[in-house]
Amino acid sequence: MTPHHGPRRARIAFSDSAAKQLENITSEAEIHALDRALVVVSVDPDVGEPIPGDTAGPQLRQYTDDVEQVRVLYFVTALRTVVVVAYIEL
């Protein structure tokens, strides 16, 4: 019997500006809240709402976790294997 694995999660990558924002997060509670939001997005990249705008590039999406008070702007690569986080708001 083969083991059952859940769906493959997308890998999370950060834009330079989002990486800079990460450097400024020092609170353990904020880190936990952000981790929780990133797991949700990695499991289901379509969970966020599309942000209207230019259709020439990848579709920018917004995921908001109202419980943890986290907002993440991101886009998904063409092969749907990587979620690139562009902006973090805690």
Side-chain angles (χ1 to χ4, degrees), residues 47-76:
V47 72
E49 300 173 5
I51 297 175
D54 187 8
T55 58
Q59 174 69 56
L60 193 60
R61 302 183 72 83
Q62 166 182 269
Y63 171 72
T64 304
D65 184 328
D66 294 325
V67 173
E68 298 286 354
Q69 301 298 309
V70 175
R71 180 174 169 237
V72 178
L73 301 183
Y74 66 97
F75 65 88
V76 182

Side-chain angles (χ1 to χ4, degrees), residues 32-49:
H32 173 75
L34 179 59
D35 281 347
R36 179 181 147 108
L38 293 175
V39 166
V40 170
V41 171
S42 73
V43 170
D44 182 9
D46 293 325
V47 72
E49 300 173 5

